[in-house]
Amino acid sequence: MRSTVISQGVTITTRCEACGGVLILDTGQHIGGGRLWWGTEGACQSCPVAWCDQVFGDATPEEIRQALLAEHGPARLRMTAPEASAVPVLRALREVHGLSLAQARALADELKTTGLVGTFVEMELVASRLRHHSVGVTVETSSG
């Protein structure tokens, strides 16, 4: 069975702090090994400044999230059967986000009513965990 890589990125042009030249940043998120990863690569067009960072964790830096949301728009995760049992929903949300039961209940209520909103990769990660627990969900994007 082939696995599908879920990723989303954006290229940002800014000023190099070292020389004042043009700095190109490639940044984004992807799912790897059932975890959320984020990364940034930067290279100055005028001097040797360059780097690459890749990290996994619960929280992507807000500047990366905002760049992805600005470029691609938000994704909304919705349940296809909002009357589904709360137990698998709570279990999945707690597994993905490491939430307390009270926090998971609040997030589950939001999921059942308006849906959860975030980057495409964030919503696909939660969706995959919910599907693993046999909860029907869909991820909607502004482009689709």
Side-chain angles (χ1 to χ4, degrees), residues 79 82-95 101 104-105 108 112 129-130 133-135:
M79 291 179 60
E83 67 281 354
S85 168
V87 173
V89 173
L90 294 173
R91 183 173 293 136
L93 292 173
R94 292 185 77 194
E95 288 172 2
L101 186 55
R105 281 188 181 128
K112 289 181 179 187
R129 182 52 44 194
L130 287 161
H133 288 286
S134 302
V135 177

Side-chain angles (χ1 to χ4, degrees), residues 5-6 9-10 12-13 18-19 25 50 88 104 114 117 119 121 130 139:
V5 175
I6 304 291
V10 62
I12 302 165
T13 302
C19 74
L25 299 172
T114 60
V117 176
T119 69
V121 175
L130 287 161
V139 177

Side-chain angles (χ1 to χ4, degrees), residues 10-127:
V10 62
T11 300
I12 302 165
T13 302
T14 189
R15 189 175 78 72
C16 177
E17 291 182 17
C19 74
V22 176
L23 182 67
I24 306 294
L25 299 172
D26 288 315
T27 189
Q29 294 176 318
H30 73 275
I31 299 171
R35 300 181 103 159
L36 178 67
W37 290 78
W38 59 268
T40 300
E41 290 183 26
C44 180
Q45 304 301 293
S46 303
C47 76
V49 167
W51 74 92
C52 179
D53 291 322
Q54 185 170 344
V55 180
F56 68 85
D58 294 330
T60 299
E62 197 57 29
E63 61 271 13
I64 293 175
R65 290 187 78 254
Q66 290 307 315
L68 291 168
L69 291 168
E71 178 77 14
H72 301 287
R76 184 175 302 272
L77 174 63
R78 295 184 186 273
M79 291 179 60
T80 55
E83 67 281 354
S85 168
V87 173
V89 173
L90 294 173
R91 183 173 293 136
L93 292 173
R94 292 185 77 194
E95 288 172 2
V96 171
H97 295 297
L99 303 173
S100 70
L101 186 55
Q103 291 169 321
R105 281 188 181 128
L107 206 56
D109 288 343
E110 188 178 339
L111 175 62
K112 289 181 179 187
T113 55
T114 60
L116 301 179
V117 176
T119 69
F120 175 70
V121 175
E122 292 164 348
M123 295 302 97
E124 281 292 338
L125 180 64
V126 177

